[in-house]
Amino acid sequence: MSVECVRVALGARAYDIHIGEGLLERAGAFLAPLLHRPRVVIVTDENVAAAQGARLKSGLEKAAIDHEFVVLTPGEETKSFNQLEALTGRLLDLGVERRDLIVAFGGGMIGDLAGFAAAILRRGCRFAQLPTTLLAQVDSAVGGKTAINTAQGKNLIGAFHQPALVLADIEALETLPERELRAGYAEVVKYGLIADADFFAWLETNGAALIAGDADARRHGVKTSCAAKAAVVSADETEQNTRALLNFGHTFGHAFEAAYGYSDRLLHGEAVALGMSLALDYSVRRGLLPGDKAERAKAHLKAVGLPVSIADLKPGADISSGKLAELMMQDKKVESGRLTLILARNIGEAAIVKDAPVGDIEDFLKQKTAR
Ligand SMILES: NC(=O)c1ccc[n+]([C@@H]2O[C@H](COP(=O)([O-])OP(=O)(O)OC[C@H]3O[C@@H](n4cnc5c(N)ncnc54)[C@H](O)[C@@H]3O)[C@@H](O)[C@H]2O)c1
Ligand SMILES: [Zn+2]
């Protein structure tokens, strides 16, 4: 039961990510050095509390840390202003003080909401991320982006607020629904595609085992992903330039998520898999990437059961090229009719392309939706 550690090098805001098994049962020992008094409030959702709560509780009891669980309704709707107001009120009622530590225990929904609550409660409390989905372990728990959704869109209100510690217990993934796990795996593949050809090749061989539950494969996959994200985040914490590489597949992907109303008909990671496939094909169209490399990358996503073409999607949403282009134009990355896209130059090498004309993208999508 080895534990891996990745340090996020951010000067005064640096922190460790521990990755391994049995971390929840040892959470008290990891958290204790960060506490001014032996007390934490844990923010989680009903599914996580039911599936994994007892493990964390035992870990805190072992270290004699007083604890209170705040258990929220699962689902993206909870990442809202209403719920933020209720949560911050509850944290104040529970007597959370400025120097206390808040624990975000769950997937990205909980991490984003509890992280944002921590960022604004008493002008900023520290928090720890205990991610329980693959997506959260490799992506959302690392890097300090926190946010809620509004009627205008997803993640438009938020703050950069780095956690003080991340504990990624890969055993928690054992109770995660398989579809959620597979969707999170798309973000793992993303790191291989944007930055690490050797890791991508490793995933081609070991990805199926990682998904099936092999602990060594999970530990290595999560660790390598966290190290890749940590490197990008420490070079550009607030996304002035290179952090945008992490958006590979996301500008195309978000258009599909929006078209499906951010419902469970299309999970974020599934949209990212399709979005990366389209970004690969568009890179070929722009002459940046040889066609066989795009085919190789898509073949792996397809082999693990992720969508790689528009035909793989469920019917019932308006995914005409016009609608998709319109949705892409609403992206945060549009400037005077030109879109910033992350494209591929090779497997393991991505590039920020700032001048993608929207008309050309719509033309490309027209071809793709016609098939
Ligand atoms: N901050 C960032 O950098 C960042 C990056 C990517 C995504 N996000 C955000 O993350 C959110 C998506 O996160 P997610 O995919 O983890 O979804 P999620 O948090 O909604 O979790 C998915 C489902 O799995 C359940 N669950 C979680 N862990 C479980 C476990 N161990 N066992 C059983 N059930 C479990 C949850 O209750 C939920 O029903 C979105 O809001 C997205 O905007 C943020
Ligand atoms: Zn993502």
Side-chain angles (χ1 to χ4, degrees):
M1 295 226 296
S2 67
V3 177
E4 302 272 5
C5 181
V6 172
R7 179 112 180 129
V8 186
L10 281 170
R13 293 180 306 289
Y15 55 97
D16 288 329
I17 309 165
H18 299 280
I19 301 132
E21 295 156 273
L23 294 180
L24 293 178
E25 287 84 356
R26 284 181 277 164
F30 280 102
L31 291 168
L34 300 173
L35 303 181
H36 288 279
R37 53 174 177 162
R39 174 166 198 264
V40 291
V41 175
I42 298 130
V43 182
T44 189
D45 74 29
E46 286 157 7
N47 296 336
V48 177
Q52 299 291 332
R55 296 183 57 215
L56 176 56
K57 203 168 169 42
S58 84
L60 295 170
E61 277 163 4
K62 257 184 260 170
I65 297 173
D66 273 354
H67 49 275
E68 189 84 45
F69 280 80
V70 175
V71 183
L72 306 176
T73 306
E76 194 62 25
E77 299 73 42
T78 297
K79 249 179 73 174
S80 67
F81 253 122
N82 280 344
Q83 292 293 319
L84 176 72
E85 184 180 6
L87 173 59
T88 48
R90 183 103 170 85
L91 293 169
L92 292 172
D93 288 345
L94 287 167
V96 175
E97 295 174 1
R98 179 92 214 279
R99 278 144 63 96
D100 285 337
L101 184 94
I102 295 164
V103 175
F105 178 45
M109 185 282 281
I110 285 294
D112 278 15
L113 175 70
F116 187 39
I120 58 175
L121 195 83
R122 299 188 186 277
R123 301 199 179 87
C125 293
R126 291 168 312 140
F127 81 117
Q129 287 272 19
L130 274 55
T132 62
T133 64
L134 183 57
L135 179 126
Q137 295 191 350
V138 300
D139 190 0
S140 61
V142 176
K145 281 191 183 178
T146 72
I148 55 168
N149 308 322
T150 63
Q152 289 76 16
K154 285 240 314 169
N155 299 328
L156 293 178
I157 305 288
F160 283 98
H161 187 52
Q162 299 291 344
L165 176 74
V166 181
L167 294 181
D169 186 331
I170 57 166
E171 258 183 87
L173 304 179
E174 285 168 15
T175 56
L176 186 66
E178 183 176 338
R179 185 176 166 210
E180 295 284 352
L181 189 96
R182 207 176 288 281
Y185 181 77
E187 304 278 5
V188 177
V189 175
K190 180 184 80 178
Y191 296 113
L193 291 179
I194 63 173
D196 190 341
D198 290 343
F199 184 49
F200 181 78
W202 182 87
L203 290 170
E204 287 179 307
T205 308
N206 299 285
L210 188 162
I211 291 173
D214 181 89
D216 291 333
R218 283 189 176 174
R219 198 183 315 101
H220 182 74
V222 173
K223 183 211 159 169
T224 310
S225 300
C226 286
K229 182 150 186 188
V232 172
V233 166
S234 31
D236 178 22
E237 185 180 7
T238 57
E239 199 169 323
Q240 303 305 308
N241 44 65
T242 47
R243 186 168 176 164
L245 292 170
L246 297 173
N247 296 330
F248 182 60
H250 282 61
T251 302
F252 283 108
H254 283 155
F256 289 92
E257 278 188 282
Y260 279 89
Y262 297 99
S263 66
D264 57 12
R265 288 187 296 160
L266 183 67
L267 299 180
H268 174 73
E270 294 167 347
V272 168
L274 173 59
M276 291 194 296
S277 302
L278 291 171
L280 289 159
D281 286 345
Y282 189 67
S283 304
V284 175
R285 175 182 167 110
R286 293 277 300 248
L288 286 170
L289 179 74
D292 59 326
K293 307 234 175 186
E295 293 310 316
R296 178 181 161 197
K298 288 192 292 176
H300 179 55
L301 292 166
K302 195 176 166 72
V304 298
L306 285 163
V308 296
S309 88
I310 293 172
D312 295 336
L313 298 182
K314 296 192 172 85
D318 178 3
I319 45 171
S320 61
S321 54
K323 181 71 189 172
L324 292 171
E326 182 195 317
L327 290 166
M328 283 178 82
M329 283 297 287
Q330 288 164 14
D331 198 279
K332 285 170 265 192
K333 284 148 305 244
V334 174
E335 272 169 40
S336 31
R338 286 174 177 263
L339 198 58
T340 297
L341 273 184
I342 312 305
L343 298 179
R345 286 188 190 285
N346 201 340
I347 287 179
E349 191 190 341
I352 303 174
V353 174
K354 293 207 162 147
D355 62 343
V358 172
D360 186 51
I361 294 168
E362 191 173 345
D363 207 48
F364 165 74
L365 288 169
K366 214 173 266 165
Q367 279 180 11
K368 289 287 170 189
T369 44
R371 269 172 217 164

